[in-house]
């Protein structure tokens, strides 16, 4: 699933291209992709509206319209937005097409079919998308080690699980939680309530540094984005730990190990991320 750096990359590559354009027509090829309102109202309300900007909240994308309405999008596992010429060959799993005033089309393609769209009015309360339940953005000025200590400091859950809790910190998933914990030298299965103040400071510093780094690495031109069909986020060569079980740690040379924590895979270095795990911890080596 795309995480904060990937969703931010999509926003940055698409926003300059669609800002100021009008939506002339919406074609829905798979009704299930529209979560709110119904398909007919979705198409009717969007026709003729102009795009003022794009936004991001956690792993969600937002298309903000000049009339005050907003489109909320969750790409889920395999969803992607492609801005294409009208005569560009259509991808097999194209579920939604916005015909724009530039003569181009903004297409939503999703192989796994989990992605969803919500259209909300200017004053309409969002009781549908779940975006209102998200915690702070990592780059929010109020996001800090103290904030994490208050929210996680009494929890017995593994710190890895805590970083995945979108109601506390928005946008971090399985990939970057591994990178963050490796960078901060924290054992992923360690109970959150055992971390010291200094360790929480290291975690926050690693969150900001790693997310900023991968946002930068994911930058691409519109041509590169379209050529790779919105799926090549450029992060893979720069990942240090995620998905690298059995490979040598770049810091110490010891082989990376993998464990399952709360049903999620976690790769770590047993030398650089040392910790004695209490019996109550749910992690297990694989």
């Amino acid at each position: 699933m795309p995480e904060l750096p990937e969703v931010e990359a999509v926003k940055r590559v698409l926003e300059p291209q669609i800002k100021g354009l009008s939506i002339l027509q919406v074609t829905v090829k798979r009704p299930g992709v529209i979560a709110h309102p119904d398909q007919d109202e979705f198409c009717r309300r969007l026709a003729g509206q102009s795009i003022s900007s794009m936004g991001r909240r956690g792993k969600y994308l937002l298309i903000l319209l000049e009339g005050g309405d907003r489109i909320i999008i969750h790409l889920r596992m395999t969803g992607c937005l492609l801005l294409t010429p009208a005569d560009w060959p259509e991808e097999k799993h194209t579920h939604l097409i916005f015909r724009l005033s530039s003569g181009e089309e903004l297409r939503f393609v999703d192989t796994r079919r989990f992605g969803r769209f919500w259209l909300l009015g200017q004053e309409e309360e969002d009781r549908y998308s779940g975006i209102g339940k998200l915690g702070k953005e990592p780059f929010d000025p109020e996001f800090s080690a103290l904030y994490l200590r208050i929210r996680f400091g009494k929890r017995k859950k593994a710190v890895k699980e805590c970083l995945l809790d979108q109601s506390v910190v928005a946008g971090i998933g399985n990939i970057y939680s591994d990178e963050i914990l490796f960078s901060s030298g924290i054992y992923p299965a360690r109970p959150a309530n055992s971390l010291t103040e200094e360790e929480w400071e290291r975690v926050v510093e690693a969150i900001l540094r790693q997310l900023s780094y991968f946002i930068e690495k994911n930058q691409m031109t519109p041509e590169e984005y379209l050529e790779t069909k919105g799926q090549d986020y450029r992060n893979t060569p720069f990942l240090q730990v995620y998905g690298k079980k059995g490979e040598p740690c770049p810091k110490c040379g010891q082989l990376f190990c993998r464990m399952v924590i709360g049903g999620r895979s976690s790769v770590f270095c047993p030398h650089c991320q040392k910790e004695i795990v209490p019996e109550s911890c749910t992690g297990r080596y694989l």
Side-chain angles (χ1 to χ4, degrees), residues 221-255:
T221 66
E223 294 76 18
E224 290 169 333
Y225 180 80
L226 182 56
E227 181 181 354
T228 59
K229 301 177 182 178
Q231 296 293 338
D232 182 7
Y233 296 112
R234 308 291 176 89
N235 63 4
T236 304
F238 304 100
L239 295 171
Q240 289 194 296
V241 58
Y242 176 79
K244 296 185 181 293
K245 174 192 173 184
E247 296 184 26
C249 171
K251 294 181 180 179
C252 71
Q254 192 157 337
L255 299 184

Side-chain angles (χ1 to χ4, degrees), residues 153-206:
K154 295 183 180 180
R155 294 194 187 182
K156 295 180 180 180
K157 273 189 174 181
V159 64
K160 161 88 175 191
E161 289 185 85
C162 290
L163 291 181
L164 299 178
D165 186 342
Q166 301 299 297
S167 70
V168 177
V169 53
I172 298 175
N174 212 36
I175 296 173
Y176 297 110
S177 57
D178 276 3
E179 297 295 314
I180 288 162
L181 292 171
F182 175 66
S183 178
S184 56
I186 305 295
Y187 187 63
R190 186 168 163 189
N193 63 3
S194 71
L195 268 66
T196 66
E197 182 177 348
E198 186 274 333
E199 287 172 324
W200 281 119
E201 293 283 355
R202 281 178 13 217
V203 169
V204 168
E205 190 276 332

Side-chain angles (χ1 to χ4, degrees), residues 66-258:
E66 289 184 359
D69 289 358
R70 61 201 186 276
I71 306 170
I72 300 173
I73 307 161
H74 203 305
L75 301 174
R76 301 283 169 83
M77 297 294 293
T78 58
C80 65
L81 286 169
L82 298 177
L83 183 66
T84 74
D87 60 355
W88 191 269
E90 192 174 299
E91 295 297 315
K92 180 179 179 181
H93 299 284
T94 299
H95 304 309
L96 191 62
I97 299 175
F98 298 87
R99 187 161 64 86
L100 304 176
S101 56
S102 62
E104 299 166 296
E105 294 181 347
L106 183 63
R107 302 173 180 176
F108 179 66
V109 183
D110 188 4
T111 304
R112 298 286 295 274
R113 303 183 178 184
F114 295 147
R116 291 293 182 271
F117 283 64
W118 299 263
L119 173 62
L120 297 170
Q122 185 173 14
E123 303 298 331
E124 185 177 1
E125 180 184 357
D126 185 359
R127 295 181 285 109
Y128 312 98
S129 71
I131 202 170
K133 298 178 181 179
L134 295 177
K136 291 190 183 301
E137 289 283 320
F139 300 108
D140 188 310
E142 296 183 359
F143 180 74
S144 65
L146 177 60
Y147 170 74
L148 290 187
R149 283 170 52 209
I150 291 172
R151 298 301 300 270
F152 293 143
K154 295 183 180 180
R155 294 194 187 182
K156 295 180 180 180
K157 273 189 174 181
V159 64
K160 161 88 175 191
E161 289 185 85
C162 290
L163 291 181
L164 299 178
D165 186 342
Q166 301 299 297
S167 70
V168 177
V169 53
I172 298 175
N174 212 36
I175 296 173
Y176 297 110
S177 57
D178 276 3
E179 297 295 314
I180 288 162
L181 292 171
F182 175 66
S183 178
S184 56
I186 305 295
Y187 187 63
R190 186 168 163 189
N193 63 3
S194 71
L195 268 66
T196 66
E197 182 177 348
E198 186 274 333
E199 287 172 324
W200 281 119
E201 293 283 355
R202 281 178 13 217
V203 169
V204 168
E205 190 276 332
I207 288 172
L208 299 179
R209 174 165 34 82
Q210 292 294 315
L211 294 181
S212 296
Y213 176 77
F214 284 103
I215 287 173
E216 178 185 351
K217 292 302 179 185
N218 276 328
Q219 290 189 50
M220 65 191 86
T221 66
E223 294 76 18
E224 290 169 333
Y225 180 80
L226 182 56
E227 181 181 354
T228 59
K229 301 177 182 178
Q231 296 293 338
D232 182 7
Y233 296 112
R234 308 291 176 89
N235 63 4
T236 304
F238 304 100
L239 295 171
Q240 289 194 296
V241 58
Y242 176 79
K244 296 185 181 293
K245 174 192 173 184
E247 296 184 26
C249 171
K251 294 181 180 179
C252 71
Q254 192 157 337
L255 299 184
F256 284 124
C257 296
R258 176 178 172 265

